Short mmCIF file of all heavy atoms in Angstrom, two decimals:
data_model
loop_
_atom_site.label_atom_id
_atom_site.label_comp_id
_atom_site.label_asym_id
_atom_site.label_seq_id
_atom_site.Cartn_x
_atom_site.Cartn_y
_atom_site.Cartn_z
N SER A 1 37.16 10.02 -32.41
CA SER A 1 37.88 8.78 -32.40
C SER A 1 37.21 7.73 -33.29
O SER A 1 37.87 6.81 -33.77
CB SER A 1 37.90 8.22 -30.95
OG SER A 1 38.50 9.16 -30.08
N TYR A 2 35.91 7.83 -33.52
CA TYR A 2 35.20 6.82 -34.27
C TYR A 2 34.43 7.42 -35.48
O TYR A 2 33.49 6.78 -35.96
CB TYR A 2 34.17 6.06 -33.37
CG TYR A 2 34.78 5.39 -32.19
CD1 TYR A 2 34.74 5.99 -30.91
CD2 TYR A 2 35.43 4.19 -32.33
CE1 TYR A 2 35.29 5.33 -29.82
CE2 TYR A 2 35.98 3.54 -31.20
CZ TYR A 2 35.94 4.12 -29.97
OH TYR A 2 36.48 3.47 -28.89
N ASP A 3 34.86 8.53 -35.94
CA ASP A 3 34.08 9.27 -36.96
C ASP A 3 33.74 8.41 -38.16
O ASP A 3 32.57 8.28 -38.55
CB ASP A 3 34.85 10.53 -37.41
CG ASP A 3 34.03 11.37 -38.36
OD1 ASP A 3 34.06 11.04 -39.56
OD2 ASP A 3 33.41 12.34 -37.93
N ALA A 4 34.76 7.84 -38.83
CA ALA A 4 34.50 7.07 -40.05
C ALA A 4 33.63 5.85 -39.81
O ALA A 4 32.68 5.58 -40.56
CB ALA A 4 35.86 6.61 -40.65
N GLN A 5 33.96 5.14 -38.72
CA GLN A 5 33.14 3.97 -38.43
C GLN A 5 31.70 4.27 -38.08
O GLN A 5 30.77 3.62 -38.52
CB GLN A 5 33.77 3.19 -37.25
CG GLN A 5 35.15 2.61 -37.52
CD GLN A 5 36.25 3.58 -37.05
OE1 GLN A 5 36.08 4.80 -37.15
NE2 GLN A 5 37.35 3.04 -36.50
N GLN A 6 31.50 5.39 -37.33
CA GLN A 6 30.16 5.76 -36.94
C GLN A 6 29.33 6.19 -38.14
O GLN A 6 28.16 5.87 -38.25
CB GLN A 6 30.22 6.87 -35.90
CG GLN A 6 30.61 6.39 -34.51
CD GLN A 6 30.65 7.52 -33.51
OE1 GLN A 6 30.78 8.70 -33.86
NE2 GLN A 6 30.52 7.19 -32.21
N ARG A 7 29.94 6.94 -39.05
CA ARG A 7 29.20 7.36 -40.25
C ARG A 7 28.75 6.17 -41.08
O ARG A 7 27.67 6.16 -41.63
CB ARG A 7 30.10 8.30 -41.09
CG ARG A 7 30.31 9.65 -40.44
CD ARG A 7 31.05 10.62 -41.36
NE ARG A 7 31.35 11.86 -40.64
CZ ARG A 7 30.49 12.87 -40.50
NH1 ARG A 7 29.27 12.76 -41.03
NH2 ARG A 7 30.84 13.97 -39.83
N LYS A 8 29.58 5.14 -41.15
CA LYS A 8 29.23 3.95 -41.92
C LYS A 8 28.06 3.23 -41.24
O LYS A 8 27.12 2.78 -41.90
CB LYS A 8 30.44 3.03 -42.03
CG LYS A 8 30.21 1.77 -42.82
CD LYS A 8 31.46 0.94 -42.96
CE LYS A 8 31.24 -0.34 -43.76
NZ LYS A 8 32.45 -1.15 -43.87
N VAL A 9 28.15 3.11 -39.91
CA VAL A 9 27.09 2.42 -39.18
C VAL A 9 25.78 3.21 -39.28
O VAL A 9 24.72 2.61 -39.47
CB VAL A 9 27.49 2.27 -37.71
CG1 VAL A 9 26.28 1.81 -36.87
CG2 VAL A 9 28.64 1.28 -37.57
N ILE A 10 25.84 4.53 -39.15
CA ILE A 10 24.60 5.32 -39.22
C ILE A 10 23.96 5.25 -40.57
O ILE A 10 22.74 5.17 -40.70
CB ILE A 10 24.93 6.77 -38.81
CG1 ILE A 10 25.18 6.88 -37.31
CG2 ILE A 10 23.77 7.73 -39.20
CD1 ILE A 10 25.54 8.21 -36.82
N ALA A 11 24.76 5.19 -41.61
CA ALA A 11 24.21 5.00 -42.92
C ALA A 11 23.53 3.67 -43.07
O ALA A 11 22.44 3.56 -43.65
CB ALA A 11 25.34 5.13 -43.99
N GLY A 12 24.11 2.64 -42.46
CA GLY A 12 23.50 1.32 -42.48
C GLY A 12 22.18 1.31 -41.69
O GLY A 12 21.18 0.68 -42.14
N VAL A 13 22.16 1.98 -40.55
CA VAL A 13 20.92 2.03 -39.77
C VAL A 13 19.84 2.79 -40.54
O VAL A 13 18.65 2.40 -40.52
CB VAL A 13 21.20 2.72 -38.40
CG1 VAL A 13 19.87 2.93 -37.67
CG2 VAL A 13 22.10 1.85 -37.54
N GLY A 14 20.22 3.85 -41.23
CA GLY A 14 19.24 4.57 -42.02
C GLY A 14 18.64 3.71 -43.13
O GLY A 14 17.44 3.77 -43.36
N SER A 15 19.49 2.89 -43.76
CA SER A 15 18.95 1.98 -44.77
C SER A 15 18.04 0.91 -44.18
O SER A 15 17.02 0.55 -44.77
CB SER A 15 20.14 1.29 -45.47
OG SER A 15 20.98 2.24 -46.13
N TYR A 16 18.40 0.46 -42.97
CA TYR A 16 17.57 -0.51 -42.29
C TYR A 16 16.19 0.07 -41.94
O TYR A 16 15.13 -0.58 -42.19
CB TYR A 16 18.29 -0.99 -40.99
CG TYR A 16 17.58 -2.06 -40.26
CD1 TYR A 16 17.87 -3.43 -40.50
CD2 TYR A 16 16.63 -1.76 -39.30
CE1 TYR A 16 17.24 -4.45 -39.80
CE2 TYR A 16 15.97 -2.78 -38.60
CZ TYR A 16 16.28 -4.10 -38.85
OH TYR A 16 15.62 -5.12 -38.18
N ILE A 17 16.16 1.29 -41.45
CA ILE A 17 14.90 1.97 -41.10
C ILE A 17 14.04 2.18 -42.33
O ILE A 17 12.83 2.06 -42.28
CB ILE A 17 15.18 3.31 -40.36
CG1 ILE A 17 15.78 2.99 -38.99
CG2 ILE A 17 13.92 4.14 -40.26
CD1 ILE A 17 16.20 4.27 -38.24
N ALA A 18 14.70 2.48 -43.47
CA ALA A 18 13.91 2.74 -44.70
C ALA A 18 13.13 1.47 -45.11
O ALA A 18 12.15 1.60 -45.85
CB ALA A 18 14.87 3.18 -45.81
N LYS A 19 13.59 0.33 -44.73
CA LYS A 19 12.92 -0.94 -45.10
C LYS A 19 12.39 -1.67 -43.87
O LYS A 19 12.38 -2.89 -43.82
CB LYS A 19 13.90 -1.83 -45.87
CG LYS A 19 14.40 -1.21 -47.19
CD LYS A 19 15.41 -2.18 -47.86
CE LYS A 19 15.93 -1.56 -49.14
NZ LYS A 19 16.93 -2.41 -49.85
N LEU A 20 11.96 -0.89 -42.92
CA LEU A 20 11.57 -1.45 -41.65
C LEU A 20 10.44 -2.45 -41.74
O LEU A 20 10.46 -3.53 -41.09
CB LEU A 20 11.18 -0.31 -40.68
CG LEU A 20 11.39 -0.55 -39.18
CD1 LEU A 20 12.83 -0.90 -38.89
CD2 LEU A 20 10.97 0.68 -38.40
N ALA A 21 9.42 -2.14 -42.52
CA ALA A 21 8.28 -3.05 -42.66
C ALA A 21 8.72 -4.39 -43.19
O ALA A 21 8.25 -5.47 -42.76
CB ALA A 21 7.20 -2.40 -43.57
N SER A 22 9.64 -4.39 -44.19
CA SER A 22 10.13 -5.65 -44.78
C SER A 22 10.95 -6.43 -43.76
O SER A 22 10.83 -7.68 -43.67
CB SER A 22 11.01 -5.34 -46.01
OG SER A 22 10.25 -4.67 -46.97
N HIS A 23 11.77 -5.70 -42.96
CA HIS A 23 12.55 -6.43 -41.93
C HIS A 23 11.63 -7.06 -40.88
O HIS A 23 11.93 -8.14 -40.40
CB HIS A 23 13.50 -5.42 -41.29
CG HIS A 23 14.66 -5.03 -42.17
ND1 HIS A 23 15.52 -5.97 -42.69
CD2 HIS A 23 15.05 -3.83 -42.60
CE1 HIS A 23 16.43 -5.33 -43.44
NE2 HIS A 23 16.19 -4.02 -43.41
N ARG A 24 10.57 -6.38 -40.52
CA ARG A 24 9.65 -6.96 -39.54
C ARG A 24 8.97 -8.18 -40.12
O ARG A 24 8.84 -9.19 -39.42
CB ARG A 24 8.58 -5.92 -39.13
CG ARG A 24 7.49 -6.47 -38.24
CD ARG A 24 6.47 -5.40 -37.91
NE ARG A 24 5.36 -5.98 -37.09
CZ ARG A 24 4.27 -6.47 -37.63
NH1 ARG A 24 4.11 -6.54 -38.95
NH2 ARG A 24 3.31 -6.95 -36.84
N GLU A 25 8.57 -8.10 -41.35
CA GLU A 25 7.90 -9.25 -42.01
C GLU A 25 8.84 -10.45 -42.07
O GLU A 25 8.42 -11.59 -41.88
CB GLU A 25 7.43 -8.83 -43.40
CG GLU A 25 6.60 -9.90 -44.12
CD GLU A 25 5.26 -10.12 -43.50
OE1 GLU A 25 4.75 -9.21 -42.82
OE2 GLU A 25 4.70 -11.20 -43.69
N ALA A 26 10.11 -10.18 -42.37
CA ALA A 26 11.09 -11.28 -42.49
C ALA A 26 11.73 -11.67 -41.16
O ALA A 26 12.53 -12.58 -41.10
CB ALA A 26 12.17 -10.89 -43.50
N ALA A 27 11.43 -10.90 -40.12
CA ALA A 27 12.00 -11.11 -38.78
C ALA A 27 13.53 -11.03 -38.80
O ALA A 27 14.23 -11.86 -38.21
CB ALA A 27 11.58 -12.48 -38.18
N THR A 28 14.02 -10.02 -39.51
CA THR A 28 15.48 -9.81 -39.55
C THR A 28 15.79 -8.62 -38.64
O THR A 28 15.32 -7.52 -38.86
CB THR A 28 15.97 -9.51 -40.98
OG1 THR A 28 15.20 -8.42 -41.53
CG2 THR A 28 15.84 -10.72 -41.88
N GLY A 29 16.61 -8.87 -37.61
CA GLY A 29 16.94 -7.85 -36.65
C GLY A 29 18.25 -7.15 -36.92
O GLY A 29 18.82 -7.31 -38.01
N ALA A 30 18.72 -6.38 -35.97
CA ALA A 30 19.98 -5.65 -36.08
C ALA A 30 20.79 -5.89 -34.83
O ALA A 30 20.26 -5.89 -33.71
CB ALA A 30 19.73 -4.19 -36.28
N LEU A 31 22.08 -6.15 -35.00
CA LEU A 31 23.00 -6.43 -33.87
C LEU A 31 24.06 -5.32 -33.83
O LEU A 31 24.73 -5.07 -34.80
CB LEU A 31 23.68 -7.77 -34.04
CG LEU A 31 24.76 -8.12 -33.03
CD1 LEU A 31 24.14 -8.27 -31.64
CD2 LEU A 31 25.47 -9.42 -33.43
N PHE A 32 24.18 -4.65 -32.70
CA PHE A 32 25.16 -3.63 -32.49
C PHE A 32 26.17 -4.11 -31.43
O PHE A 32 25.79 -4.59 -30.37
CB PHE A 32 24.54 -2.34 -31.98
CG PHE A 32 23.54 -1.76 -32.96
CD1 PHE A 32 22.18 -1.96 -32.83
CD2 PHE A 32 23.94 -0.94 -33.99
CE1 PHE A 32 21.25 -1.45 -33.71
CE2 PHE A 32 23.06 -0.40 -34.90
CZ PHE A 32 21.70 -0.64 -34.74
N TYR A 33 27.44 -3.99 -31.73
CA TYR A 33 28.44 -4.36 -30.74
C TYR A 33 29.59 -3.38 -30.82
O TYR A 33 29.86 -2.77 -31.85
CB TYR A 33 28.97 -5.79 -31.02
CG TYR A 33 29.65 -5.98 -32.33
CD1 TYR A 33 31.05 -5.82 -32.45
CD2 TYR A 33 28.94 -6.31 -33.51
CE1 TYR A 33 31.69 -5.99 -33.66
CE2 TYR A 33 29.58 -6.43 -34.73
CZ TYR A 33 30.93 -6.33 -34.80
OH TYR A 33 31.55 -6.48 -36.02
N GLY A 34 30.26 -3.19 -29.68
CA GLY A 34 31.38 -2.26 -29.59
C GLY A 34 31.62 -1.85 -28.19
O GLY A 34 30.88 -2.30 -27.26
N PRO A 35 32.65 -1.04 -27.94
CA PRO A 35 33.02 -0.60 -26.56
C PRO A 35 31.86 0.18 -25.92
O PRO A 35 30.98 0.71 -26.62
CB PRO A 35 34.24 0.29 -26.79
CG PRO A 35 34.74 -0.07 -28.13
CD PRO A 35 33.55 -0.51 -28.96
N PRO A 36 31.82 0.28 -24.60
CA PRO A 36 30.80 1.10 -23.91
C PRO A 36 30.87 2.53 -24.38
O PRO A 36 31.92 3.08 -24.64
CB PRO A 36 31.18 0.96 -22.44
CG PRO A 36 31.97 -0.31 -22.36
CD PRO A 36 32.72 -0.44 -23.65
N GLY A 37 29.68 3.14 -24.49
CA GLY A 37 29.64 4.56 -24.82
C GLY A 37 29.72 4.90 -26.28
O GLY A 37 29.81 6.09 -26.64
N THR A 38 29.64 3.90 -27.17
CA THR A 38 29.71 4.20 -28.58
C THR A 38 28.35 4.36 -29.26
O THR A 38 28.28 4.54 -30.45
CB THR A 38 30.50 3.06 -29.31
OG1 THR A 38 29.94 1.78 -28.94
CG2 THR A 38 31.96 3.08 -28.94
N GLY A 39 27.28 4.26 -28.48
CA GLY A 39 25.96 4.60 -29.02
C GLY A 39 25.12 3.44 -29.45
O GLY A 39 24.19 3.61 -30.27
N LYS A 40 25.38 2.26 -28.91
CA LYS A 40 24.64 1.06 -29.38
C LYS A 40 23.15 1.16 -29.04
O LYS A 40 22.28 0.98 -29.91
CB LYS A 40 25.23 -0.20 -28.73
CG LYS A 40 26.70 -0.46 -29.09
CD LYS A 40 27.23 -1.72 -28.49
CE LYS A 40 27.30 -1.67 -26.96
NZ LYS A 40 28.28 -0.61 -26.50
N ASP A 41 22.83 1.48 -27.80
CA ASP A 41 21.40 1.65 -27.41
C ASP A 41 20.81 2.83 -28.08
O ASP A 41 19.57 2.81 -28.44
CB ASP A 41 21.29 1.80 -25.89
CG ASP A 41 21.26 0.46 -25.14
OD1 ASP A 41 21.51 -0.55 -25.81
OD2 ASP A 41 21.08 0.48 -23.94
N HIS A 42 21.54 3.88 -28.34
CA HIS A 42 21.02 5.08 -29.03
C HIS A 42 20.58 4.68 -30.42
O HIS A 42 19.46 5.04 -30.84
CB HIS A 42 22.14 6.14 -29.07
CG HIS A 42 21.66 7.41 -29.66
ND1 HIS A 42 21.72 8.62 -28.95
CD2 HIS A 42 21.20 7.74 -30.93
CE1 HIS A 42 21.25 9.59 -29.75
NE2 HIS A 42 20.94 9.07 -30.91
N LEU A 43 21.44 3.97 -31.17
CA LEU A 43 21.06 3.55 -32.51
C LEU A 43 19.87 2.62 -32.55
O LEU A 43 19.00 2.72 -33.40
CB LEU A 43 22.26 2.93 -33.20
CG LEU A 43 23.43 3.87 -33.54
CD1 LEU A 43 24.66 3.08 -34.00
CD2 LEU A 43 23.04 4.89 -34.56
N ALA A 44 19.89 1.65 -31.60
CA ALA A 44 18.76 0.71 -31.52
C ALA A 44 17.47 1.45 -31.23
O ALA A 44 16.40 1.08 -31.80
CB ALA A 44 19.03 -0.35 -30.46
N THR A 45 17.54 2.48 -30.39
CA THR A 45 16.31 3.22 -30.07
C THR A 45 15.83 4.03 -31.26
O THR A 45 14.64 4.24 -31.42
CB THR A 45 16.57 4.13 -28.86
OG1 THR A 45 16.97 3.37 -27.74
CG2 THR A 45 15.30 4.91 -28.48
N CYS A 46 16.75 4.47 -32.11
CA CYS A 46 16.37 5.14 -33.34
C CYS A 46 15.46 4.23 -34.19
O CYS A 46 14.48 4.68 -34.80
CB CYS A 46 17.59 5.59 -34.14
SG CYS A 46 18.50 6.95 -33.43
#
């Protein structure tokens, strides 16, 4: 049901993780929103 949207989000999370040290230094976080069961906590835990 969410294949295309999820792939786009996961690619974005991967890019965020690749620059994690810079994000921590700049205090830039990530916000996940969507219906229950779409993997928000899963992605944040990654």
Side-chain angles (χ1 to χ4, degrees):
S1 303
Y2 300 101
D3 184 278
Q5 296 94 322
Q6 286 181 337
R7 290 186 185 277
K8 183 178 179 180
V9 170
I10 288 177
V13 173
S15 299
Y16 184 92
I17 290 176
K19 298 179 180 179
L20 207 57
S22 299
H23 288 302
R24 174 180 176 270
E25 186 69 23
T28 53
L31 174 65
F32 298 97
Y33 63 92
T38 51
K40 299 183 293 297
D41 276 7
H42 185 119
L43 290 172
T45 301
C46 288

